[in-house]
């Protein structure tokens, strides 16, 4: 799988630009603020349907313009693939997948595997639980796009349920019971997917963190549900029973909180480093290597799908690492696939690139 | 450009119609002002009469001019099978298939706490009466395939007496798909393939 061409109109700092990519390593070279990360962001939006930096697609419109368009041509083996997304200041969205129009950005996911390593990834280790939940869900959706719709539906049902709890004084409580049942129905496949994914991530994250940091401290991942202290059953009826029991136990607390206190939207992925929560105890450098390990592990899982070796987006990751870690990261990157790297200096790079693009004055120049 | 206030008012009111933007509203307004006078007056008259005379059927909530709508008083329909829809226009989708011979019940919306729509805001009390034990053999819950359509169906299912069969439309319809815009073959397949709820 490889990106052939990226075309942007009024996306972030770019007025109009096109990039013809090499099937190997592509380097985007340019000073701070020259739009390198913006280009990677556009690739990310086309492939995954969301920006790694902004919640609102409207932020992606170039200041002074009223609509952005980003179009990506790729190939999957011999088959061409075209993904396009646009959004205007009013928030009206359009997408195209191989020419078929639609509106939701979420339909873009699942066609082109992409894994990005960004400086902001530190937050996946250090930030709030919602970030780790979104790490898991975004990866789940790439591995199985059939989860996109259930995720949206689950979020909608939780909103309805919260509104129902706010109304208070349920005349007969029937509506709340219906929403309980519906929420649990929608939660089950999401929980099964998350727990399976965590199980698959444990080994690669620990191994990659070890290789990258050169440290021997143990790394463990562990899915903590909002369902009491015992382990959550892995699937089916036992899982359903636990959710229902949790709903009954929390009934009063939820009525006074006027919101839904259990379910996938309240769960936590705990990362343990040497047996302690990394969120609280990991050092700056350990946080960074853990964050990179999470991303490289995503790439490994995606690469198991033979048609989908992921395209890597490496946003200035080498600059943040010391010499030995830089060398080790270079060795750990999956070989043979396509990558886009950006950096303000060529010197930061511990390996050869196949094509270099110089970014200057709002234009891209290809050099040798 | 500034039109006379009456032209402006006409454009404004037309542009409130669903699917009519300002541009088409202007086109419609020009048409209404230039077409034969009888035609424009007739349109005004039928709108007024329709609004005066049409009210919800006291039994099913469909459009009616009398106490009951034509479907509810039709002795050739099977009054033992009830198809529940969100809005009157959904009835047309089933009627054009020509295959459904039962009667209907129009809810007038879907349950949605987020929008402040609870059971009291919908035509649910009369449905409860219609479902008195021994009257209805089968109830088909034909609410749309959306989270709100599902909650509404699940809510209704709880008030159906034990001796009534409850079914839902097969998921032939696209998720969130509108019945009224689906072709009659799709609607027919969804109905024929209905599944126990
Ligand atoms: N919506 C927008 N419209 C126009 N310009 C924008 C918009 N959003 C961000 N920018 C500009 O884009 C520039 C940042 O681009 P980008 O983050 O791609 O830089 P970079 O090349 O990655 O820099 P660095 O090396 O510092 O990471 C900033 O100068 C910012 O002002
Ligand atoms: Mg940058
Ligand atoms: Zn009627």
């Amino acid at each position: 799988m490889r990106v052939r061409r990226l075309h942007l109109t009024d996306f972030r700092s770019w007025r109009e630009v096109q990039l013809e990519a090499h099937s190997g390593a592509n380097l985007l070279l340019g000073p701070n603020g020259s739009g390198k990360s913006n280009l990677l962001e556009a690739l990310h939006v086309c492939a995954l349907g969301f920006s790694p930096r902004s919640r609102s697609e409207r932020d992606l419109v170039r200041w002074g313009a009223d609509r952005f368009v980003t179009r990506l041509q790729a190939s999957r083996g011999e088959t061409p693939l075209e993904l396009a997304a646009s959004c205007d200041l009013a928030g009206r969205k359009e997408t195209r997948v191989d020419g078929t129009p639609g509106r939701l950005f979420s339909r873009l996911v699942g066609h082109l595997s992409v894994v990005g390593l960004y400086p902001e990834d530190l937050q996946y280790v250090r930030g709030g639980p919602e970030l780790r939940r979104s790490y898991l869900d975004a990866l789940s959706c790439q591995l199985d796009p059939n989860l996109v719709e259930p995720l949206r539906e689950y979020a909608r049902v939780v909103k309805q349920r919260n509104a129902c709890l706010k109304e208070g004084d349920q005349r007969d409580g029937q509506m709340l019971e219906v929403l309980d049942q519906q929420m649990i129905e929608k939660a089950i496949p999401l929980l099964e997917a998350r727990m399976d994914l965590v199980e698959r991530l444990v080994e690669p994250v620990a191994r990659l963190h070890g290789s990258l940091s050169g440290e021997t401290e143990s790394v463990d991942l562990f899915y903590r549900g909002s369902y009491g202290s015992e382990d959550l059953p892995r699937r089916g009826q036992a899982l359903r029973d636990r959710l229902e029991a949790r709903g009954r136990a929390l009934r009063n607390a939820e009525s006074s909180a006027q919101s839904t206190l259990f379910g996938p939207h309240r769960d936590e992925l705990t990362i343990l480093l040497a047996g302690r929560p990394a969120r609280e105890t990991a050092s700056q450098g350990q946080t960074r290597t853990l964050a990179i390990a999470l991303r490289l592990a995503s790439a490994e899982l995606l690469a198991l799908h033979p048609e989908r070796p992921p395209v890597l987006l490496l946003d200035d990751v080498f600059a943040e690492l010391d010499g030995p870690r830089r060398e080790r990261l270079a060795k750990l990157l999956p070989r043979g696939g396509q990558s886009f790297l950006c950096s303000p200096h060529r010197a930061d790079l511990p390996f050869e690139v196949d094509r270099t693009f110089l970014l200057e004055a709002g234009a891209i120049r290809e050099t040798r | 450009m500034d039109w006379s206030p009456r032209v402006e008012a006409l454009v404004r009111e037309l542009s409130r119609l669903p699917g009519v933007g300002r541009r088409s509203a202007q086109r419609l307004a020009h048409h209404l002002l230039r077409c034969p006078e009888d035609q424009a007056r007739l349109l005004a008259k039928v709108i007024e009469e329709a609004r005066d005379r049409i009210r919800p059927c006291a039994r099913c909530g469909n459009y009616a001019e009398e106490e009951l709508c034509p479907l509810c008083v039709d002795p050739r329909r099977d009054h033992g099978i009830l198809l529940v829809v969100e809005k009157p226009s959904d009835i047309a989708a089933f009627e054009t298939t020509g295959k459904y011979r039962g009667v209907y019940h129009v809810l007038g919306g879907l349950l949605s706490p987020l929008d402040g729509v609870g059971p009291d805001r919908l035509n649910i009390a009369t449905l409860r009466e219609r479902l008195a034990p021994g009257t209805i053999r089968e109830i088909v819950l034909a609410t749309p395939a959306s989270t709100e359509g599902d909650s509404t169906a699940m809510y209704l299912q709880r008030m159906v007496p034990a001796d009534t069969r409850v079914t839902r439309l097969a998921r032939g319809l696209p998720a969130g798909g509108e019945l009224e815009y689906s072709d009659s073959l799709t609607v027919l397949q969804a109905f024929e393939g209905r599944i126990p709820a």
Side-chain angles (χ1 to χ4, degrees):
Chain A
M1 196 172 280
R2 61 166 290 209
V3 174
R4 292 182 179 280
R5 177 179 294 154
L6 177 70
H7 189 111
L8 311 183
T9 310
D10 292 328
F11 185 95
R12 293 278 195 194
S13 54
W14 296 98
R15 185 181 292 273
E16 180 94 50
V17 76
Q18 178 160 308
L19 182 147
E20 308 272 348
H22 189 276
S23 61
N26 297 273
L27 172 64
L28 311 175
L29 200 63
N32 296 137
S34 58
K36 304 182 292 295
S37 299
N38 295 343
L39 277 176
L40 297 191
E41 185 177 26
L43 279 166
H44 193 287
V45 168
C46 278
L48 303 184
F50 67 94
S51 153
R53 305 201 264 191
S54 281
R55 263 165 193 267
S56 165
E57 285 80 6
R58 271 174 279 189
D59 298 348
L60 309 178
V61 178
R62 187 175 60 82
W63 301 323
D66 54 18
R67 172 171 186 261
F68 79 77
V69 183
T70 159
R71 221 172 67 229
L72 182 153
Q73 287 165 286
S75 50
R76 211 172 1 188
E78 297 298 300
T79 337
L81 169 69
E82 187 163 331
L83 300 169
S86 74
C87 179
D88 67 10
L89 288 178
R92 267 187 301 265
K93 293 171 201 154
E94 275 174 51
T95 54
R96 267 168 200 280
V97 176
D98 281 334
T100 316
R103 282 187 302 125
L104 296 176
F105 271 39
S106 57
R107 66 194 281 272
L108 295 167
V109 73
H111 302 280
L112 177 71
S113 294
V114 158
V115 172
L117 280 74
Y118 305 99
E120 298 87 347
D121 288 350
L122 290 186
Q123 291 305 318
Y124 283 104
V125 178
R126 188 171 280 172
E130 69 283 359
L131 292 166
R132 285 177 292 285
R133 290 194 291 266
S134 71
Y135 163 78
L136 289 177
D137 291 339
L139 180 56
S140 294
C141 287
Q142 275 210 80
L143 289 163
D144 179 6
N146 292 322
L147 284 167
V148 172
E149 201 49 35
L151 266 167
R152 283 165 43 82
E153 289 175 357
Y154 175 78
R156 176 85 186 163
V157 171
V158 169
K159 272 197 193 155
Q160 290 285 13
R161 193 170 181 275
N162 289 344
C164 192
L165 286 162
K166 275 202 190 69
E167 275 168 26
D169 184 35
Q170 303 301 314
R171 263 194 333 166
D172 54 359
Q174 291 278 306
M175 189 62 199
L176 191 57
E177 279 183 30
V178 162
L179 290 168
D180 286 355
Q181 193 188 337
Q182 212 177 0
M183 177 190 134
I184 290 173
E185 214 64 62
K186 309 268 176 211
I188 286 175
L190 304 185
L191 286 170
E192 289 175 346
R194 281 196 193 163
M195 288 189 281
D196 286 351
L197 181 57
V198 171
E199 186 175 84
R200 295 174 66 196
L201 283 167
V202 174
E203 187 277 326
V205 171
R207 171 170 40 77
L208 290 161
H209 179 261
S211 319
L212 195 60
S213 64
E215 290 171 11
T216 52
E217 282 169 313
S218 69
V219 174
D220 209 351
L221 304 179
F222 140 83
Y223 191 75
R224 236 182 33 202
S226 45
Y227 322 95
S229 52
E230 288 162 60
D231 280 352
L232 193 59
R234 286 293 296 274
R235 50 184 82 258
Q237 191 58 43
L239 181 54
R240 180 186 308 266
D241 291 346
R242 173 68 72 83
L243 291 171
E244 283 170 358
R246 194 62 179 160
R248 286 190 297 273
L250 288 175
R251 175 68 8 114
N252 289 333
E254 290 194 319
S255 314
S256 42
Q258 302 192 345
S259 85
T260 299
L261 299 179
F262 71 108
H265 68 295
R266 303 275 296 202
D267 295 349
E268 165 70 301
L269 167 68
T270 305
I271 305 173
L272 295 180
L273 183 63
R276 293 195 187 79
R279 185 181 174 194
E280 291 149 29
T281 59
S283 73
Q284 183 92 351
Q286 287 168 328
T287 303
R288 196 171 300 285
T289 44
L290 274 173
I292 296 176
L294 287 174
R295 294 302 198 184
L296 293 179
S298 303
E300 268 195 30
L301 294 191
L302 287 164
L304 292 177
H305 197 304
E307 283 167 43
R308 307 207 168 141
V311 175
L312 292 180
L313 310 179
L314 304 168
D315 193 343
D316 224 353
V317 276
F318 294 101
E320 318 273 359
L321 299 173
D322 60 21
R325 285 175 194 229
R326 208 178 276 183
E327 298 293 332
R328 290 197 287 258
L329 174 57
K331 289 211 188 70
L332 286 174
L333 290 176
R335 317 240 140 230
Q338 189 180 29
S339 57
F340 292 83
L341 311 92
C342 60
S343 170
H345 327 280
R346 204 181 284 272
D348 286 340
L349 287 178
F351 57 82
E352 291 292 307
V353 297
D354 298 295
R355 191 168 293 172
T356 301
F357 300 91
L358 281 180
L359 278 58
E360 48 193 15
I364 298 184
R365 195 156 53 84
E366 200 183 311
T367 64
R368 289 294 131 190
Chain B
M1 132 156 223
D2 288 333
W3 303 103
S4 85
R6 286 203 167 75
V7 178
E8 188 50 51
L10 182 56
V11 171
R12 191 177 61 237
E13 294 311 314
L14 287 168
S15 67
R16 291 190 201 215
L17 296 172
V20 179
R22 174 135 189 114
R23 190 77 60 85
S24 351
Q26 281 173 358
R27 211 166 40 237
L28 290 171
H30 289 308
H31 175 78
L32 289 170
L33 293 172
R34 293 179 53 222
C35 70
E37 196 174 328
D38 299 353
Q39 198 183 325
R41 284 189 191 286
L42 182 62
L43 177 61
K45 183 159 158 271
V46 295
I47 292 176
E48 194 167 344
E49 282 179 1
R51 289 308 305 237
D52 282 347
R53 302 283 301 279
I54 291 181
R55 50 185 169 164
C57 166
R59 186 175 296 160
C60 75
N62 184 16
Y63 299 132
E65 292 196 24
E66 312 294 330
E67 165 98 359
L68 298 178
C69 74
L71 290 164
C72 281
V73 296
D74 188 342
R76 291 163 305 175
R77 309 285 302 203
D78 180 348
H79 291 254
I81 166 164
L82 199 59
L83 196 143
V84 181
V85 291
E86 177 190 348
K87 49 193 188 303
S89 50
D90 294 336
I91 291 182
F94 287 92
E95 287 303 291
T96 48
T97 69
K99 283 288 196 298
Y100 178 67
R101 301 303 302 155
V103 289
Y104 295 92
H105 193 85
V106 181
L107 296 169
L110 297 173
L111 293 172
S112 174
L114 269 176
D115 306 301
V117 182
D120 307 350
R121 293 266 300 268
L122 302 182
N123 188 17
I124 286 182
T126 33
L127 178 61
R128 211 181 286 271
E129 287 165 25
R130 294 180 82 182
L131 287 172
T135 48
I136 305 287
R137 292 193 314 282
E138 179 178 346
I139 177 169
V140 188
L141 302 172
T143 50
S146 62
T147 53
E148 287 74 27
D150 287 344
S151 341
T152 306
M154 287 160 78
Y155 183 91
L156 297 178
Q157 198 183 339
R158 290 164 169 249
M159 53 189 243
V160 179
D163 59 352
T164 302
R165 180 174 172 228
V166 192
T167 52
R168 285 212 66 184
L169 292 190
R171 289 262 173 151
L173 295 169
E178 292 268 351
L179 273 176
E180 59 179 314
Y181 302 120
S182 303
D183 66 81
S184 66
L185 184 64
T186 314
V187 175
L188 184 60
Q189 283 166 345
F191 177 70
E192 299 276 318
R194 66 194 185 279
I195 43 170

